[in-house]
Amino acid sequence: MKWMVALAALLLTSAVSADAIEDRYNKSCVFCHGSGAAGAPKTGDQAAWAPRLEKGMDTLLDHTRSGIGAMPPRGMCADCSDDEFRALIEYMSK
């Protein structure tokens, strides 16, 4: 019975996290990644994201934290954690 409660809590937490990431995306990332402004890879454009993903998550996180090209440091999310940035990258690249 305890495992059922734990599983339900895990599933609920995952759903909340997905909603939170989508909210972060809509507040911070969609402005450039939704349209491809300034060369940003568009959300859902797997071909555009593939060469970036090949560099590895550590490199993508470094670029996100420090900025790259027209993207300013931390993008438009000054208070995002590394875990949130990872989730945002995964969200945009699929």
Side-chain angles (χ1 to χ4, degrees), residues 12-50:
L12 182 58
T13 301
S14 295
V16 171
S17 294
D19 287 343
I21 291 304
E22 186 171 1
D23 185 53
R24 283 281 194 183
Y25 169 80
N26 287 327
K27 289 179 180 175
S28 304
C29 309
V30 71
F31 306 107
C32 296
H33 290 281
S35 66
K42 286 184 180 182
T43 301
D45 184 348
Q46 293 177 353
W49 279 98

Side-chain angles (χ1 to χ4, degrees), residues 16-85:
V16 171
S17 294
D19 287 343
I21 291 304
E22 186 171 1
D23 185 53
R24 283 281 194 183
Y25 169 80
N26 287 327
K27 289 179 180 175
S28 304
C29 309
V30 71
F31 306 107
C32 296
H33 290 281
S35 66
K42 286 184 180 182
T43 301
D45 184 348
Q46 293 177 353
W49 279 98
R52 292 163 172 88
L53 292 170
E54 286 175 6
K55 294 177 182 177
M57 187 59 74
D58 289 340
T59 299
L60 288 171
L61 282 172
D62 184 52
H63 290 167
T64 302
R65 280 188 233 109
S66 354
I68 186 167
M71 182 176 160
R74 306 189 70 76
M76 301 293 288
C77 193
D79 64 340
C80 279
S81 68
D82 282 356
D83 287 339
E84 288 172 310
F85 281 134

Side-chain angles (χ1 to χ4, degrees), residues 1-12:
M1 182 68 170
K2 288 182 183 179
W3 68 270
M4 290 174 71
V5 172
L7 179 61
L10 179 64
L11 292 173
L12 182 58

